[in-house]
Amino acid sequence: MTEAQRHSTILELLQQKRYLTIADLIEAFEISPATARRDITKLSESGRLRKVRNGAESLPQKKSFWSPFNIHLASNHDEKVRIAQAAASLISPGESAVINCGSTAFLLGQELCGQDVQVITNYFPLANYLIEQEHDGVVIIGGQYNKSQSITLAPQDEISSLYAGHWMFTSGKGLTVDGLYKMDMLTAMAEQKMLDHVGKLVVLTDSNKIGQRAGMLFCHAQRIDVLITGSEADPKIIRELREQGTEVILV
């Protein structure tokens, strides 16, 4: 992972946790204390975070987060578009796809809109977009609306046997040879209910997240059928994932 990729990831983690210690950075990126302090200093000097004792904290948010109306504001937008396009090309007419939350998931939904593909999702912005665009074959997984993640969450085991898809597309905050990591436990648990009811699991993730451990282990790498990521992903980890049997598509 390059310094620029590491800095981008540190800022993403701060959006989730608001505060990171030197020890957090050492563990997450397997770097030395000196490198962790240098990263914080550089990001602080560039005005992208606030340096505090033994760590860093996020700055008050001044810019808007991405939405379906300004998707171009999503971080690594161009890479995400390429990932979404590659993911859409995997699906044949008449098949179904479980699509989970996030900016890349939304871009994938845009690629599939109007095609002969059934979309199964609990991601409200995507479901709303597809319905407004009159996409045939939208299945919304029900449950209580979770505002922080913009998804619906059903009671335990309620949805596990109701829906099945040829494909399941998901993402996370980190991916190593051990598997895929997610930050939000509720979202991860909702998605895990679906794993036994889908054909192939496809992970869509930015290249700067390859090699990171962040949050809980969602699934082991052996469960991932296909990984689609940017061409700048750590080549050592990509090679090891391929050796474990995961098909990797670099875009």
Side-chain angles (χ1 to χ4, degrees), residues 78-87 228-232 249-251:
D78 292 344
E79 184 179 89
K80 292 178 188 293
V81 169
R82 297 194 301 272
I83 291 172
Q85 291 172 341
I228 306 178
T229 188
S231 58
E232 295 184 358
I249 300 173
L250 299 177
V251 299

Side-chain angles (χ1 to χ4, degrees), residues 11-251:
L11 295 174
E12 287 191 12
L13 290 175
L14 277 175
Q15 289 181 8
Q16 297 287 329
K17 302 182 68 174
R18 316 303 295 177
Y19 174 77
L20 293 171
T21 65
I22 295 293
D24 290 333
L25 299 185
I26 293 171
E27 180 180 358
F29 302 103
E30 298 181 352
I31 56 178
S32 67
T35 299
R37 293 189 183 93
R38 185 165 58 249
D39 285 344
I40 289 175
T41 298
K42 287 185 177 181
L43 289 169
S44 176
E45 290 175 348
S46 66
R48 302 171 73 185
L49 56 71
R50 180 179 291 113
K51 184 178 179 180
V52 297
R53 182 178 177 83
N54 295 323
E57 64 181 15
S58 61
L59 296 173
Q61 295 295 330
K62 296 181 181 180
K63 66 178 183 178
S64 300
F65 289 105
W66 76 270
S67 76
F69 303 104
N70 59 9
I71 187 67
H72 63 281
L73 293 179
S75 61
N76 303 317
H77 174 263
D78 292 344
E79 184 179 89
K80 292 178 188 293
V81 169
R82 297 194 301 272
I83 291 172
Q85 291 172 341
S89 70
L90 296 175
I91 309 171
S92 299
E95 291 187 330
S96 57
V98 177
I99 303 178
N100 297 310
C101 63
S103 54
T104 308
F106 185 83
L107 289 166
L108 173 57
Q110 286 186 317
E111 292 291 329
L112 296 176
C113 187
Q115 298 187 31
D116 181 20
V117 174
Q118 182 187 61
V119 175
I120 304 168
T121 188
N122 66 343
Y123 188 38
F124 188 76
L126 175 57
N128 188 57
Y129 171 83
L130 293 173
I131 291 170
E132 287 184 346
Q133 297 299 316
E134 299 184 353
H135 177 79
D136 288 335
V138 181
V139 176
I140 304 174
I141 300 174
Q144 180 176 334
Y145 181 66
N146 181 283
K147 182 179 179 180
S148 65
Q149 297 295 322
S150 298
I151 62 173
T152 54
L153 296 171
Q156 184 71 24
D157 298 329
E158 181 174 310
I159 66 170
S160 61
S161 61
L162 296 182
Y163 305 109
H166 295 92
W167 302 87
M168 177 172 173
F169 297 89
T170 192
S171 59
K173 286 297 180 182
L175 178 68
T176 71
V177 294
D178 296 323
L180 177 66
Y181 291 82
K182 290 180 178 285
M183 292 293 292
D184 189 273
M185 185 175 295
L186 288 177
T187 302
M189 291 175 64
E191 293 180 20
Q192 282 176 334
K193 297 176 186 178
M194 300 292 296
L195 283 178
D196 294 332
H197 304 278
V198 295
K200 290 189 175 183
L201 175 64
V202 184
V203 172
L204 315 176
T205 188
D206 299 353
S207 58
N208 62 6
K209 296 177 182 176
I210 302 298
Q212 289 190 55
R213 293 180 177 86
M216 64 172 285
L217 182 63
F218 172 73
C219 69
H220 292 285
Q222 291 84 352
R223 179 64 182 84
I224 301 171
D225 296 290
V226 183
L227 164 66
I228 306 178
T229 188
S231 58
E232 295 184 358
D234 188 321
K236 180 177 181 293
I237 295 177
I238 295 300
R239 182 175 63 255
E240 291 177 348
L241 288 169
R242 283 171 168 160
E243 290 173 352
Q244 291 184 19
T246 299
E247 178 185 352
V248 180
I249 300 173
L250 299 177
V251 299

